[in-house]
Every structure is written in C-alpha cells, then in structure tokens.
C-alpha cells in the first residue's frame, strides 16, 4: 500500500481508493485542494487555430493515478507479448506500450459520454474506458469471459457503456465511423464529442512509404490542427480538453499525437527494419511517458522511489492474477458459433460446414 | 385520364390517397418508397436520410422528393461524392443508436463503400458479442438500367446475400416497396435494400391495408404471385414481372407456372421455394445478375439438398449473360433475360411430360 510521506502538504489518502479497485483503472480525481501546475515538455504547434497554454493544472491524485494507470497498461502489454509468444494469443496482436500517455491523458480530459473509436491497437484504450484486465486477457486468449465473449479477438474490443466503439481491423475505417458517432452526438444534441483515433500507417510500413506529407496536423487543410507531444500525458490532456471545447463550438479538429510504440507494429513485425535500436532506447531514455510522471511525483514529493516501485510490483501482481483467472475461463460454448449474427434472427436457419450435420435456428 | 391527373397533382410527401374514394388504388414504386420513407421518418425521429442529391435535388430518381422540405436539412443530408465517407458516417451513427437510411445513387457505387457495409456494419454485432448493433438501411437502384454500360449495370444481390449479418431485400411491386422498406427501417440489423430504376415509374394496385402507415411485410418471406402446378419459377425485382408474363404465355400452352416473388434474398425463403417445388416438381430460377455463384445457384442447391427426390427434371437457371454489360442495344438485350428465355427454360423442364406430337 502506498504510504504517505510525513510532512508532505500534498499528502492525501489515496491508498484506500486503490485497494478497493484492484483490476480497473482509477479515474483521475482531483480530490486535492492543492492544485499543481505542470508545464508540457514543449509548446503546442498549431495550424489554423490558437494553441492552448503549456501550463496544465493537475493534482497529486491525478499524478498518482496517471502513474498507476500507465504502469498497468505497460505491464499488460508486455504480458500480452509473452502470452503471444507462448501461443496463447493467436492471429494479430498490436501492442501499445510506449503510447500510454495518449490513452491516459485523453481519458483525463473527457467523460464516458464522449466517444472514442480507434483501430486495432486498442487494448489500453479499452482499459481506459472502464474495461478490466480479465476481459482483456480472456478476449486475447479467445475465452468466454472476454468482453466480446472470445468472438472478437485483439482487434475487436468494445465497451459501449464506456463510450468505446472499438476496435477496428481495416486501416482507416474507423475515421468515417468516428465522424458518424460525432454526427449522431450532434443530431441527438448531446454536448459531447468523439475522438476518432488513427495512426500513420499499417503493417509497420515505414513512414516515408506510407505518406508523402508527414505534417499530419496540417493535413486537414482548412480543418484546424494541433501537434502534441504524445509522450507527455499532460500535453495530451491539455490538447484533448482544448479539442473538445473547440469541437463543440467550431467543428472538427486534428490532433497529431507525436507518440512512440516500443514494439513493432504487430507481433510479426520486429520493429527494427525501419528504425535503429538506438532510436528505441533513446526514446525510452528521453521521452518515456511513465518516467516523466515518476520524475514529477518525485520532484513534487508526492511519492517516494520505494512507493513507486511498490506500485509497479502491485500492478505486476494484478496483471499476473488477471492472466491466471483468464486462463481458467473456458472457450466459448460451441453454440456461440451462431449467436449474435443478427439482433433479430427471424427464426432463420444458419449452417455449419456440413449443413446436414450442424444447423441452428437464429432467434 | 384520371391516372394522368393524379400524377400531376401528387406531392408525394403530402399524398393522401385515402382522400380518393375510388375502389382500386394504384401507386408507383417511386411513390411507394417515398411514402414509406416519409412515414418512417415521421414515426421515429432517429430515422434520417443521407446520400448524394437526396435533398435539394429531391433525389437522383426523385425517391426522396419533398422530404428535405418536410424534415429539414438535419434529417435529410446531401453528402459529397464519397461513398466510403458517407457510408462510414452512416454506420458510425447507427453504432450510436440512430437509424440512418443511406442511399447509393446506384449499387454500382456501393463497391466504394463495401468495406463499411460488410466489415463495419454486417459483422459488428457478432464481433462485439451483441454490444454494437447496426440498425442501418442501405438502399438504391440495383441491376441493369437501359444503355448505361458495364460499370453502371451490375446486380449485387448475390454478393451481399452471401454475407452473414446482412439482410438483403428485393422489392418488386409497390406493395413490396412500401412493406419491405418500412420493415427494413424498423429492423435492428443492417439491411441492403435493392430497388430497380426501371420499376420506379411502374404502377401497381395497392389496397387500403398497404396504404396504412402501420403496414409492414415480414422479412424473409417470399410471395407466391401466381399459383400453378407444373413448374415453379423463382424471380426477384424486375424479373418477377417477366416471370409473370412468361407464365401467361406458358398458360396458353397448357403449362401452369407458379411464380414466386422472392422479396428477400437473405434470409432466403427456402421453405416456400421447396414446398412449391415439391408440388410442381420442376424449377426455373430467374435473375438478372451474373450467373456464376448467383442467387439461382443457391436456390438450386437448396432444392437439391432438401427436395431432390421431388425433381422430375434438372433445375434450369436463367440469368444475365456472363459478360460485362455491353452498350449496343442489341447486345444489351442479349445480356439480360427476356421473357422468351424464361418460357423456353420452363418448357425444357416440362419436356418429358409434353407429348412429342404437341411440339411439332
């Protein structure tokens, strides 16, 4: 349990909160009266708009929850790597480690009534929208306790009640889908926004092969844009807050999150044909999102080194426990082959490979 | 005379056929579709329309005439020319719980958006284990028009109907158009609604029941347009009219044809088809589309699987020619089924029961 350091004014009883919510992410709560101001790593670069300030308000509670949440995501993705190599995860697996600041910073700026839709690198986004570790690992291993009952797999995580609309395998498809979500919010007069997330390529295609013009934040032409240090959770938080306000008043805006994934594009991409090992370790040294928060926590004397190491140990245990539980989850029942094809199946028959052997009536 | 006057005075969005007291009412397929859209938009504020020229232009084929004026630009949306874009927006809006009706100017253009129809719409309910349902309708003209050439003439029924998660409907008459479109809009699953440009202007009789705003046809049920006992002819969309004409010709030659209007390609009403074949023992399938891997192939297989012992002759298949649609009028005529093709095929199935003397 994280103990408070005596004498610190920023001390707040966070530990009971953490212990009561073992396997879901903490929502950032600014319960502290003392707000802390942090500066983003670099100023924002703007296209067709005035950039927001570099000064971001936060709190001890938020700093601690950022640390814990990102550490959890990091551990989860690394564990997924091992499970994939152990052949417990099959097919595609796209890992997010390195990019945690985007998921966590965005979540801190929005509500669950705002929508997020993304591509296939969706494990951490699912978690940030209220998903649990067991749902993640069970789904990755194709078990019935996965959030999609084992029928989706790594690329098809959804949490509609948390405003998370997937989880999409076709590169770029989620962009017009996200526009549709935003359109529906506007149509329904909800004062909420949609974040449609997409990357700069697929398959690990090198940037110079994927795009002629890499100034992505300007690619919207008349659409305003902001370039953001995606390794800085506070820059992300500030940008998303700014973007939400902008979108509600003026319409779409593009946020280019300059982020970095440590793994290759997927488990079949070594991630070393288009970059050097030095580049990767350089980013780890200079820009790692978790390290940034660690430094802030230490600098503001909110936590000690030992406390942070303890949190990392806890998180590791949580992930291991979740994996153990997920492994106990069974594969879906064979009858699940035919469920959820339609909302209204009209009593029609569906067939297996040998229709004289296997048929089902769709309810 | 009366018919012509009615046409001129119609503003489809405000039509009140019930005001006319005459017994046999008629309605074009166009008006049927328009009235169905109007009624469903009126009944459910979540229903909205999207597509190229559906608003200010009143619809490329005037199917959405008057609806922009009545419901406003927030519910009738003119889109830019990007099927991939607006089909994706429609599906995303359906994820959120709205009920979009997305028009493709023709289904040839749906190929630009087919990823959204299949991967984003049809499969989402399954992949999400029931979290994300997609109550969307994709509608528009399908199949051959007249003289529009190869890129504008394809029928997509078989392609879409192959895909689990989709429902595929093919109205023929005005009753079909009204009942099936209303059912499609109310259905919680993604529906591909395949109309036919050449049918838009055709008049069909409609009963008071059909005109009622609660009228709906069940999805997945075929209609026996004409009962018969010697040969079953299945058809959908425009070919139903051709099959009925063929049945008239066959009747004069002593062959009683049962014409089935499929109405629904997915789900396919296998039980009605098989029950009919068990009665007549002969089957001719008719479709306008390319023959290979088509609707007729599926129907034939279904009958072979379920009613093999009842067949007195091999199943006959009439379909579009196995070529891209040519432009020249004579070649175009050869590329689509004609009534005489259906008659000939039906006679072939009856060959064994037609005494040789009669054919001399």
């Amino acid at each position: 349990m994280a103990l408070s350091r005596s004498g610190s004014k920023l001390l707040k009883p966070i530990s009971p909160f953490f212990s009561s919510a073992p396997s879901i992410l903490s929502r950032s709560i600014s319960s502290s009266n003392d707000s802390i101001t942090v500066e983003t790593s670099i100023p924002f670069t703007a296209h067709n708009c005035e950039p927001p300030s570099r000064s971001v308000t936060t709190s001890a509670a938020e700093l601690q929850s950022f640390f814990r949440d990102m550490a959890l995501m990091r551990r989860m993705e690394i564990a997924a790597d091992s499970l994939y190599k152990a052949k417990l995860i099959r097919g595609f697996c796209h890992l997010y480690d390195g990019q945690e600041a985007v998921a966590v910073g965005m979540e801190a700026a929005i509500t669950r009534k705002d929508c997020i839709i993304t591509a296939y690198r969706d494990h951490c986004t699912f978690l940030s929208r209220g998903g649990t570790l067991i749902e993640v690992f069970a789904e990755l291993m194709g078990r019935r306790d996965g959030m999609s009952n084992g029928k989706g797999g790594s690329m098809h995580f959804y949490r509609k009640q948390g405003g998370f609309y997937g989880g999409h395998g076709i590169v770029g498809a989620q962009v017009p889908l996200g526009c549709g979500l935003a359109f529906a919010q506007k149509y329904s007069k909800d004062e909420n926004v949609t974040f449609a997330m997409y990357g700069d390529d697929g398959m690990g295609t090198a940037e110079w092969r994927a795009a002629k013009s890499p100034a992505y934040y300007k690619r919207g032409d008349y659409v305003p844009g902001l370039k953001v240090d995606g390794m800085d959770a506070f820059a992300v938080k500030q940008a998303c807050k700014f973007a939400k306000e902008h979108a509600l008043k003026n319409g779409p805006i593009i946020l280019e999150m300059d982020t970095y994934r440590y793994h290759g594009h997927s488990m079949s991409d070594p991630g070393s044909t288009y970059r050097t090992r030095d580049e990767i370790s350089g980013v780890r040294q200079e820009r790692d999102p978790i390290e940034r928060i660690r430094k802030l926590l230490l600098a503001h004397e909110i936590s000690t080194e030992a406390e942070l190491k303890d949190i990392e140990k806890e998180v590791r245990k949580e992930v291991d426990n979740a994996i153990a539980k997920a492994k106990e989850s069974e594969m879906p029942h064979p009858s699940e082959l035919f469920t959820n094809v339609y909302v209204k199946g009209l009593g029609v028959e569906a067939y297996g490979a040998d229709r004289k052997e296997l048929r089902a009536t769709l309810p | 005379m009366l018919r012509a006057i009615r046409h001129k005075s119609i503003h489809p969005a405000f039509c009140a056929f019930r005001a006319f007291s005459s017994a046999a009412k008629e309605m074009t397929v166009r008006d049927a579709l328009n009235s169905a859209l109007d009624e469903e938009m009126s009944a459910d504020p979540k229903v909205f329309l999207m597509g190229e020229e559906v608003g200010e232009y009143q619809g490329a084929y005037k199917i959405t005439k008057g609806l922009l004026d009545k419901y406003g630009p927030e519910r009738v949306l003119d889109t830019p020319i990007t099927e991939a874009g607006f089909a994706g927006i429609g599906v995303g809006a359906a994820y959120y719980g709205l009920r979009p009706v997305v028009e493709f100017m023709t289904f040839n253009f749906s190929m630009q958006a087919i990823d959204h129809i299949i991967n984003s719409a049809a499969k989402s309910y399954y992949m999400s284990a029931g979290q994300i349902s997609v109550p969307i309708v994709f509608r528009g003209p399908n199949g051959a028009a007249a003289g529009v050439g190869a890129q504008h003439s394809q029928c997509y029924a078989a392609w879409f109907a192959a895909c689990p998660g989709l429902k595929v409907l093919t109205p023929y008459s005005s009753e079909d158009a009204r009942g099936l479109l209303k059912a499609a809009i109310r259905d919680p699953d993604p529906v591909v609604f395949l109309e036919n440009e050449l049918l838009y202007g055709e008049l069909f009789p409609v009963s008071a029941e059909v005109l009622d705003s609660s009228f709906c046809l069940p999805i997945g049920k075929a209609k026996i347009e004409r009962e018969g006992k010697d040969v079953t002819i299945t058809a959908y969309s425009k070919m139903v009219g051709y099959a009925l004409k063929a049945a008239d010709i066959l009747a004069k030659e002593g062959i009683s044809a049962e014409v089935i209007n499929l109405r629904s390609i997915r789900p396919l009403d296998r039980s009605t088809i098989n029950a009919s074949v068990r009665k007549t023992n002969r089957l001719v399938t008719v479709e306008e589309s390319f023959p290979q891997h088509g609707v007729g192939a599926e129907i034939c297989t279904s009958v072979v699987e379920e009613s093999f012992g009842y067949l007195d002759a091999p199943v006959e298949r009439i379909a579009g020619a196995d070529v891209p649609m040519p432009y020249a009028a004579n070649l175009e005529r050869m590329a689509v089924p004609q009534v005489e093709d259906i008659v000939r095929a039906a006679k072939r199935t009856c060959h064994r029961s037609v005494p040789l003397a009669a054919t001399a």
Side-chain angles (χ1 to χ4, degrees), chain A residues 233-351:
Chain A
F234 291 106
V236 173
K237 176 186 167 188
Q238 185 82 318
C240 291
K241 181 160 170 285
F242 173 79
K244 177 171 174 177
E245 281 160 19
H246 176 100
L248 285 172
K249 269 208 323 269
N250 308 322
I253 182 169
I254 298 182
L255 297 178
E256 180 184 336
M257 306 285 193
D258 191 358
T259 184
Y260 199 86
R261 48 164 170 75
Y262 293 138
H263 270 86
H265 158 77
S266 70
M267 292 303 294
S268 49
D269 170 30
S272 51
T273 60
Y274 42 83
R275 56 185 182 177
T276 61
R277 287 196 191 288
D278 285 345
E279 180 191 299
I280 305 171
S281 51
V283 174
R284 261 193 218 277
Q285 280 278 88
E286 308 293 318
R287 301 179 67 204
D288 185 274
I290 301 176
E291 286 318 300
R292 168 181 299 280
I293 305 296
R294 190 196 304 272
K295 289 192 186 107
L296 283 168
L297 283 166
L298 295 174
H300 287 270
E301 297 183 335
I302 300 169
S303 311
T304 63
E305 290 265 15
E307 283 161 0
L308 295 178
K309 286 238 180 316
D310 281 343
I311 290 176
E312 285 176 306
K313 279 200 214 126
E314 260 171 59
V315 145
R316 197 178 178 128
K317 227 172 103 201
E318 246 180 75
V319 166
D320 289 342
N321 287 344
I323 292 178
K325 278 220 88 173
K327 281 180 178 168
E328 286 169 19
S329 172
E330 287 179 39
M331 308 216 83
H333 189 270
S335 63
E336 287 283 341
L337 182 67
F338 294 111
T339 59
N340 302 131
V341 180
Y342 295 104
V343 177
K344 215 163 141 194
L346 304 170
V348 155
E349 282 207 310
Y351 306 103

Side-chain angles (χ1 to χ4, degrees), chain B residues 272-292:
Chain B
T272 297
I273 296 166
N274 277 281
S276 174
V277 172
R278 288 178 184 210
K279 184 174 72 165
T280 64
N281 312 121
R282 294 174 191 84
L283 174 62
V284 176
T285 70
V286 183
E287 66 205 287
E288 212 179 30
S289 48
F290 299 138
Q292 192 165 335

Side-chain angles (χ1 to χ4, degrees), chain A residues 82-110:
Chain A
S82 306
L83 288 174
Y84 191 90
K85 286 171 176 152
K87 297 203 194 304
L88 284 161
I89 299 176
R90 305 178 315 122
F92 293 118
C93 190
H94 306 84
L95 299 175
Y96 198 77
D97 50 308
Q99 301 182 221
E100 299 87 355
V102 177
V104 164
M106 182 178 290
E107 196 60 37
I110 63 178

Side-chain angles (χ1 to χ4, degrees), chain A residues 166-182:
Chain A
H168 293 269
I170 306 297
V171 176
Q174 75 277 15
V175 179
L177 294 174
C179 292
L181 290 170

